[in-house]
Amino acid sequence: MASIADKTVLVTGGNRGIGRALVEEALNRSAELVYVGTREPLAHADARVTPLMLDVTDAAQIQAAAAAVGSLDVLVNNAGIWLFDDLSDRAALERHLAVNLFGTYSVIQAFLPLLVRSAGAIVNNLSLNALAPLPLTPAYSISKAAAFSMTQSLRALLAGRGVRVHAVLTGPTDTDMTRGFDIPKSSPESVARAIFDAVENEEEDIFPDPASAAMADSWRSGAVKAFERQLAAFVAAEPVTS
Ligand SMILES: NC(=O)c1ccc[n+]([C@@H]2O[C@H](COP(=O)([O-])OP(=O)(O)OC[C@H]3O[C@@H](n4cnc5c(N)ncnc54)[C@H](OP(=O)(O)O)[C@@H]3O)[C@@H](O)[C@H]2O)c1
């Protein structure tokens, strides 16, 4: 699946921010069809775009969306929330897990049959905070770390079924999410280009901006990555019988 051209792509949270930039970039790369997951009615001038009502915490909407999509090559799980907390409120943690972990999980499960059929790809837009928490947003960081672990397990579990699973360790990007946070940020357009470049290059862990790219080499050659590969090999191993 080297190229996005002529492929069918679905982006959750595709109405604004990085998601919207991913939609535009898929169109720029001659995707055949782009489904845009959105929680509000959405219009797009390009006839290749089909909006889908898709709150990733709504099981009925997920099932309806999966039923409406005939085939799918690339599922981009981008929808997410990022709220300040201090871990004193369990509800804040549950809110982040509901969207960033269980929402992503539920969408993947619903679309997996289509992705197996197409030998497609799952692209999970996570965060550098999957690797190290920002203690101003610990609940968010926990949800992204959990979603990263899920991504790593799915990668091993789905490899034998022909589905590639990518983790995107995104750094600070200039969207509504980081408005008011005065730090260097990348543009959503540059991040979207880097994500699809890396998907086309079949890079399993994607570092799509200067802040994340600074960690790419040490991550890829590091002990933790080697350990992930070592443990992933157990999926293909024969079960122990005695
Ligand atoms: N911006 C950054 O610096 C940064 C860094 C690392 C990772 N990320 C990740 O990148 C992804 C996109 O973030 P962004 O910066 O583009 O943020 P954003 O501009 O705030 O957009 C968030 C998107 O997620 C959608 N969303 C939120 N809850 C949802 C739900 N329950 N169901 C469906 N869609 C939902 C929003 O839809 P509505 O418009 O309906 O609210 C919106 O489309 C997130 O997963 C985020 O964690 C961002």
Side-chain angles (χ1 to χ4, degrees):
M1 203 228 69
S3 166
I4 297 297
D6 303 322
K7 298 296 192 299
T8 299
V9 178
L10 166 56
V11 181
T12 68
N15 57 306
R16 62 191 172 100
I18 299 171
R20 183 164 66 189
L22 286 162
V23 167
E24 296 307 319
E25 188 56 29
L27 294 170
N28 291 342
R29 291 178 192 231
S30 303
E32 185 175 282
L33 268 178
V34 181
Y35 291 98
V36 182
T38 174
R39 295 193 291 180
E40 298 291 336
L42 178 141
H44 197 288
D46 195 307
R48 293 172 293 165
V49 170
T50 302
L52 286 175
M53 287 308 283
L54 186 51
D55 182 324
V56 301
T57 65
D58 184 324
Q61 283 191 10
I62 293 172
Q63 288 315 318
V69 173
S71 72
L72 186 65
D73 298 297
V74 184
L75 169 63
V76 186
N77 290 296
N78 167 78
I81 58 167
W82 185 77
L83 303 166
F84 290 91
D85 78 304
D86 61 4
L87 286 186
S88 61
D89 178 11
R90 182 188 167 104
L93 179 56
E94 289 179 346
R95 253 180 103 185
H96 282 91
L97 291 172
V99 179
N100 299 349
L101 176 66
F102 291 113
T104 300
Y105 169 82
S106 300
V107 172
I108 289 170
Q109 292 304 321
F111 285 93
L112 192 52
L114 297 182
L115 294 166
V116 170
R117 204 178 305 153
S118 65
I122 296 168
V123 182
N124 291 338
N125 190 4
L126 305 169
S127 165
L128 276 182
N129 296 134
L131 301 179
L134 175 64
L136 297 171
T137 55
Y140 172 81
S141 303
I142 288 168
S143 71
K144 291 293 186 174
F148 184 36
S149 182
M150 176 177 72
T151 303
Q152 292 170 304
S153 284
L154 283 170
R155 176 181 291 155
L157 290 166
L158 297 178
R161 299 170 74 188
V163 178
R164 279 181 324 289
V165 184
H166 302 267
V168 187
L169 287 313
T170 314
T173 308
D174 192 8
T175 67
D176 295 339
M177 191 171 273
T178 53
R179 183 151 300 153
F181 216 60
D182 191 17
I183 50 169
K185 301 172 202 169
S186 298
S187 71
E189 293 76 18
S190 67
V191 167
R193 278 194 301 276
I195 289 173
F196 281 133
D197 281 348
V199 170
E200 291 186 336
N201 289 333
E202 302 191 1
E203 293 168 27
E204 54 187 30
D205 297 322
I206 299 173
F207 298 84
D209 55 274
S212 62
M215 287 179 221
D217 287 348
S218 62
W219 171 258
R220 291 187 177 121
S221 61
V224 178
K225 188 69 197 175
F227 191 43
E228 177 192 330
R229 293 207 170 101
Q230 188 187 329
L231 295 181
F234 280 94
V235 173
E238 291 293 317
V240 177
T241 51
S242 60

